Each structure stands twice: as structure tokens, then as C-alpha cells.
């Protein structure tokens, strides 16, 4: 008799379990975490008939390979990538029936960074503080996937699959435009630095990760040279470390920090940041001042 589980044949560079995260625990030093491209994760769940809060797999750049121990429905969203089932191409962005024992391979992303695999019933690893998400900063949740790991699956919900052949999805950004509200510490920077931040073009650094999107470009000069006491950090905060290059905090960001925050990115723009490959131009556009 088969059981409802996926066996990991190839874990990929970084594949993690993610859901909608664990908000509400910042006072304990616990980040929200969760899928970086939340809309893509929600689409993958919708395509396989899951609730929006079901756990999915988030891959990074080179995908992963899995074998199912029972018949399931799968769907891949987010960064476009080749998808094969037992070596034969199948649809990306659409529900696909995967027989028991079949081998599913998500290949290298054609564009973008992170692909999301939804599986009917969802991945039911043990929740921590109400979430099944892997948090790379705190270490909470399941560890990143390794070859040979087994992921248990839940029972499919009595929900209809999306009645589409292929779901439309936004393309990964050729240019990342991040709308920001200036502050709370923009006064720690010179007027020229604030103008440079809001008018010059940066590029996504290869050092970016789930904690933050790092940038390369003009260094921002401080007007104040002292150090701040640690203060609370929010999702989308643009912190400026000593090298002067803006750093946008993403889902696994620390809950406190001592470097000044020049601005905060609108939450609606963060999914695109999750898909911006190294070298992508970045512009910060002010839509609100303090």
C-alpha cells in the first residue's frame, strides 16, 4: 500500500518548505518568514485545489527532483522552468496528475529565481509557532531539503482545481521598481545621499538571499556618524549598512537592527524582488514622505 509522501531525489541548491509564515512573533525575535513570492505560492496551491495556507516547496534557481509514493496533483508557479514527469515534458503553471512512483523534475529557472511546487493535500511537516515555513535566520521550521528526505503530504481538500489550461503569471522583472516611503531614519543621510537613493539606479547583488535583497551601486553618505541603539525592523525596511549600499529586508529578516533605515518598500512590490536575478537594475521611487 502506498503512503502520501514525496521522496527527495535531488534537493537542488536551496529548496525549502514555505507557507504564509508565522506573523505576530517579532516580540520573541522570530521573523515572519514564509514564501518570498507569496502570490506565486498561492497560485500553486489554487491550481492543485489546496487552501491558500497549505505548505509548498520554494526552489532557488536550479529546481529539485521528487518521487511520489502515491498519486497526487502537482503544479509549478513562480519562476518559469522546464518541468518533466518521468523524463517527458509537462505543463508549467497548470495542474498535472503525477502517478505513484513517478519522477518529477523541476529544472533550472529560465528567468527569475524562485519556483513554487504545490502538491494536492499540501506538505504537512510539523508546524512551529503555527507555521511549516523554513526560517533560514532563526533556524525554525524544517531544514532545507536534502537528498533522501521524505516529505509527508496531507489529504486533498474537496475543492475544485482551477479550470484553466495554463494560469497567467507576471514575468520576472527586467527592471525592479520599488515604491518606498522615506524614513524613519532618512535624516541620518545627507541630502545628496537621499537624492542618489531616489534617483540613481542600483543592481541586485549576487549576495542576496531570503533575509534580504542586497544592492550594488552608489554608496549613501551619512549626515550622522554615530550608531543607533537596536530598534525594530519591518518587512521591506531598506537598511543601510556601513558599506552604504541599500539592503531590502525580505521574509527571513532580523526583527531588530542598529543600522539606519532610510525607507520602507511597499509590500506589494516585494514578490517582484523575490524574482529579481543578480544584475537586475533596481530603482527606488518615493511615493510617500514622512
Amino acid at each position: 500500500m502506498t503512503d502520501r509522501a514525496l521522496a527527495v531525489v535531488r534537493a537542488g541548491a536551496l529548496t525549502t518548505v514555505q507557507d504564509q509564515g508565522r506573523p505576530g512573533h517579532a516580540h520573541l525575535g522570530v521573523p515572519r518568514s514564509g514564501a518570498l513570492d507569496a502570490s506565486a505560492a498561492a497560485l500553486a496551491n489554487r491550481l492543485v485545489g489546496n487552501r491558500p495556507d497549505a505548505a509548498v516547496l520554494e526552489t532557488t534557481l536550479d529546481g529539485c527532483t521528487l518521487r511520489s509514493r502515491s498519486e497526487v496533483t502537482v503544479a509549478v508557479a513562480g519562476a518559469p522552468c522546464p518541468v518533466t514527469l518521468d523524463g517527458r515534458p509537462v505543463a508549467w503553471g497548470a495542474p498535472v496528475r503525477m502517478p505513484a512512483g513517478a519522477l518529477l523534475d523541476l529544472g533550472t529557472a529560465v528567468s527569475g529565481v524562485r519556483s513554487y511546487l504545490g502538491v494536492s493535500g499540501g506538505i504537512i511537516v510539523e508546524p512551529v509557532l503555527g507555521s511549516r515555513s523554513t526560517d533560514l535566520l532563526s533556524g525554525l521550521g524544517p531544514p532545507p531539503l536534502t537528498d533522501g528526505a521524505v516529505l509527508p503530504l496531507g489529504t486533498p481538500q474537496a475543492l475544485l482545481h482551477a479550470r484553466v489550461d495554463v494560469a497567467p503569471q507576471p514575468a520576472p522583472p527586467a527592471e525592479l521598481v520599488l515604491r518606498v516611503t522615506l524614513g524613519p531614519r532618512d535624516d541620518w543621510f545627507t541630502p545628496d545621499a537621499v537624492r542618489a537613493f531616489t534617483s540613481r539606479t542600483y543592481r541586485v547583488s549576487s549576495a542576496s538571499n531570503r533575509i534580504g535583497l542586497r544592492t550594488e551601486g552608489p554608496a549613501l553618505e551619512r549626515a550622522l556618524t554615530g550608531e543607533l541603539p537596536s530598534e525594530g525592523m519591518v518587512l521591506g525596511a531598506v537598511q543601510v549598512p556601513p558599506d552604504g549600499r541599500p539592503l531590502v529586508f525580505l521574509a527571513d529578516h532580523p526583527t531588530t537592527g542598529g543600522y539606519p533605515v532610510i525607507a520602507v518598500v511597499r509590500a506589494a512590490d516585494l514578490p517582484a524582488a523575490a524574482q529579481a536575478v543578480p544584475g537586475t537594475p533596481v530603482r527606488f521611487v518615493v511615493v510617500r514622505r514622512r
Side-chain angles (χ1 to χ4, degrees), residues 204-216 247 278:
V204 175
S205 167
S206 60
S208 301
N209 53 29
R210 282 186 49 86
I211 296 170
L213 182 144
R214 294 184 179 273
T215 64
E216 299 169 347
L247 162 65

Side-chain angles (χ1 to χ4, degrees), residues 56-244:
V56 300
L57 291 183
E58 177 185 278
T59 70
T60 308
L61 294 175
D62 71 342
C64 64
T65 305
L66 307 155
R67 190 179 299 278
S68 178
R69 293 184 174 180
S70 63
E71 182 178 311
V72 294
T73 300
V74 297
V76 183
C81 64
V83 183
T84 63
L85 190 63
D86 285 337
R88 296 186 296 275
V90 293
W92 168 86
V96 174
R97 186 182 70 84
M98 182 177 177
L103 192 69
L104 178 73
D105 182 76
L106 280 62
T108 299
V110 176
S111 60
V113 178
R114 295 173 174 92
S115 300
Y116 292 85
L117 175 68
V119 186
S120 54
I123 297 165
I124 56 167
V125 294
E126 191 69 24
V128 178
L129 294 177
S131 171
R132 295 184 167 91
S133 288
T134 301
D135 181 347
L136 297 182
L137 182 65
S138 71
L140 293 177
L145 264 60
T146 55
D147 295 355
V150 175
L151 301 171
L153 302 176
T155 302
Q157 301 290 314
L159 299 175
L160 292 176
H161 297 166
R163 294 185 176 182
V164 295
D165 292 324
V166 177
Q169 301 182 56
E175 179 185 49
L176 184 60
V177 178
L178 299 177
R179 296 170 294 173
V180 300
T181 298
L182 283 180
R185 301 296 181 185
D186 53 311
D187 57 351
W188 276 58
F189 298 90
T190 65
D192 284 346
V194 175
R195 280 192 294 272
F197 172 67
T198 58
S199 64
R200 300 284 297 276
T201 298
Y202 289 81
R203 293 191 178 275
V204 175
S205 167
S206 60
S208 301
N209 53 29
R210 282 186 49 86
I211 296 170
L213 182 144
R214 294 184 179 273
T215 64
E216 299 169 347
L220 302 181
E221 182 183 0
R222 284 194 190 183
L224 301 178
T225 58
E227 293 301 326
L228 282 166
S230 287
E231 53 188 4
M233 292 291 134
V234 299
L235 183 67
V238 185
Q239 192 183 67
V240 183
D243 68 2

